[in-house]
Amino acid sequence: MTNNSFYAIIDKEALKHNINYLKNFKNKNILPVIKANAYGHDILLISKLLYDLDIKTWAVARLSEALDIIENFKKFKISDYKILVFESIEDYKILNENPNIFPSINSIKEFKAALANNIETERMSLKIDLGFGRNGILENEIESLKKLAKFNDWKFFGIFSHLFSATYDDGLVVIQKFTDIVNKLGKNKFELIHLQNAASIFNYDIEVVTHIRTGMLCYGLQEAGYYDTNLKPVLAELIGKVDTVKYLNELNYVAYEELCSVDSSCKKIAKIKIGYGDGFPKCNKGTYCLINKKEYKISQVTMDNTFIEIDDLVNVGDKVELYHRPNELKAKTGCSALELFISLSPLRIKRILKD
């Protein structure tokens, strides 16, 4: 990492605080979702931090994410953890070779195939389709599943669905349907029962669930209309340094644009080594960064560099902070902090633990 590289500071104390706060908020255990590179926070770093907090069950979207964690944890000689994978897994050899992976069962067909390939039901999580257009076991298949489970006295790792975007009353209907299904199959058959998305954690108290399944709230990321000041940002800073400073009267262009694109009152331009190739997209043009406790306008974003309209207070080597107002990003860029953090390149933008 060079002196001019940008990197993200990860605050492990903020993660610990958020987990404990959410557990106490609903008096439920937490199932952290660490998919999409832990929402941009580094899946390998976050999984190890969670493990150290004695939270040893996590959820991911892709099998590849689970396999990366498993490979990383080999160097720590750690084996007592569980990874729930949301996507369907058809490679039963991988499942049999990796007991840390706990598959989602997204249809009756998958359930029968998993049984035929000697996957224990204690590793399976049944996903229920309550009409949100993804996948899952259908409501009209529950009765036959109940008969099979009762006859065989099966126990499962979990059962879950998803409270999708809906009106408050529609959400109550989904909750009741899910509760009825869990009770019909037998609540005592499941180790983990979970339903909520981030917004519904604020909206509903759901008695039947054992766990709050959330990603963004663990990281202090929040949706428009739902804001809890008790949550702290885990990605504390995105920082780097000023690489070069130029007087505009020495230039004919600023990168790919003519000088008329720069504010007429500006006399100098600074370059920083981050661009859309690093996951800092062009929608950041016209927003502001922080240098020496003062805000400066971002004039242009290219693949590898970004240009900032500055004054004489800014010098080469000065610290630059990006995304310093995360709650305003949606209004300024059209993208939420969640979308922008996930976009940050895991190769070009290192994640470093806060001292």
Side-chain angles (χ1 to χ4, degrees):
M1 184 170 61
T2 67
N3 290 334
N4 291 314
S5 297
F6 271 74
Y7 53 95
I9 303 295
I10 302 300
D11 188 341
K12 63 180 177 181
E13 291 302 316
L15 179 67
K16 178 180 178 180
H17 167 84
N18 291 344
I19 293 290
N20 289 333
Y21 173 73
L22 291 168
K23 287 173 67 174
N24 294 328
F25 178 51
K26 292 295 185 179
N27 196 27
K28 302 284 185 181
N29 290 319
I30 303 297
L31 174 58
V33 181
I34 57 174
K35 64 180 181 178
N37 201 28
Y39 289 51
H41 292 70
D42 189 329
I43 191 170
L44 303 182
L45 179 61
I46 293 297
S47 58
K48 183 59 169 62
L49 290 176
L50 289 169
Y51 182 89
D52 292 342
L53 292 173
D54 201 33
I55 297 174
K56 300 177 181 179
T57 301
W58 325 298
V60 298
R62 304 283 187 250
L63 174 61
S64 59
E65 295 171 322
L67 293 174
D68 283 346
I69 294 170
I70 290 169
E71 188 62 31
N72 184 59
F73 268 55
K74 287 179 181 177
K75 67 185 179 186
F76 300 112
K77 298 182 179 179
I78 293 171
S79 59
D80 59 331
Y81 59 93
K82 301 173 182 177
I83 308 172
L84 170 62
V85 178
F86 291 143
E87 74 176 351
S88 299
I89 301 174
E90 298 179 355
D91 191 334
Y92 297 102
K93 181 180 178 182
I94 286 180
L95 284 177
N96 285 315
E97 290 174 348
N98 293 279
N100 300 97
I101 297 175
F102 287 66
S104 295
I105 302 300
N106 294 308
S107 69
I108 290 291
K109 180 181 178 182
E110 285 183 24
F111 179 52
K112 292 177 179 178
L115 289 174
N117 284 274
N118 300 314
I119 305 302
E120 303 91 342
T121 59
E122 288 86 351
R123 288 177 65 188
M124 300 182 194
S125 280
L126 306 179
K127 184 177 183 182
I128 309 301
D129 181 1
L130 294 174
F132 54 95
R134 294 186 185 176
N135 52 17
I137 297 169
L138 301 174
E139 290 179 75
N140 60 16
E141 297 173 318
I142 297 300
E143 192 60 40
S144 61
L145 182 61
K146 176 189 174 183
K147 292 177 181 178
L148 283 171
K150 184 177 181 181
F151 178 79
N152 290 280
D153 195 29
W154 285 324
K155 299 282 187 179
F156 296 89
F157 181 57
I159 185 169
F160 70 102
S161 190
H162 193 67
L163 257 177
F164 47 91
S165 298
T167 66
Y168 180 80
D169 289 341
D170 286 345
L172 291 176
V173 172
V174 172
I175 292 167
Q176 189 59 56
K177 285 183 177 182
F178 182 73
T179 301
D180 291 344
I181 289 169
V182 172
N183 289 333
K184 180 178 286 189
L185 293 172
K187 184 176 179 180
N188 64 335
K189 290 186 176 294
F190 304 100
E191 183 180 338
L192 276 70
I193 303 170
H194 44 102
L195 178 64
Q196 287 143 296
N197 61 359
S200 62
I201 290 170
F202 294 110
N203 275 344
Y204 305 102
D205 292 314
I206 305 177
E207 184 178 350
V208 76
V209 303
T210 60
H211 287 68
I212 292 174
R213 182 187 73 236
T214 183
M216 58 191 300
L217 297 185
C218 292
Y219 313 113
L221 300 169
Q222 305 195 56
E223 294 181 299
Y226 301 93
Y227 189 77
D228 188 332
T229 56
N230 292 293
L231 294 172
K232 298 180 179 180
V234 174
L235 199 157
E237 293 181 292
L238 176 59
I239 56 176
K241 294 181 179 181
V242 173
D243 181 57
T244 60
V245 171
K246 300 281 188 180
Y247 282 96
L248 287 176
N249 61 12
E250 299 174 343
L251 306 173
N252 294 319
Y253 290 85
V254 174
Y256 301 104
E257 296 186 8
E258 295 181 358
L259 294 181
C260 61
S261 65
V262 180
D263 190 289
S264 59
S265 64
C266 178
K267 305 299 181 186
K268 298 170 77 175
I269 200 90
K271 185 188 79 176
I272 56 176
K273 288 187 174 182
I274 190 172
Y276 61 81
D278 304 278
F280 186 70
K282 285 190 173 186
C283 64
N284 287 294
K285 177 179 178 178
T287 64
Y288 289 81
C289 62
L290 198 64
I291 307 175
N292 300 327
K293 298 183 179 180
K294 182 178 178 180
E295 290 189 324
Y296 292 93
K297 184 179 178 182
I298 293 173
S299 180
Q300 189 180 160
V301 179
T302 67
M303 182 180 289
D304 300 309
N305 300 295
T306 290
F307 297 85
I308 306 165
E309 299 174 9
I310 60 168
D311 54 27
D312 289 333
L313 298 176
V314 176
N315 296 289
V316 171
D318 284 349
K319 174 183 171 182
V320 181
E321 184 176 353
L322 303 172
Y323 297 153
H324 63 291
R325 295 177 182 253
N327 296 325
E328 298 177 9
L329 288 173
K330 181 73 172 179
K332 300 290 187 181
T333 67
C335 298
S336 67
L338 168 64
E339 295 170 282
L340 293 169
F341 289 177
I342 286 177
S343 297
L344 291 172
S345 169
L347 297 177
R348 287 189 170 198
I349 307 295
K350 302 296 183 184
R351 276 65 166 177
I352 299 174
L353 282 178
K354 184 178 181 180
D355 294 333

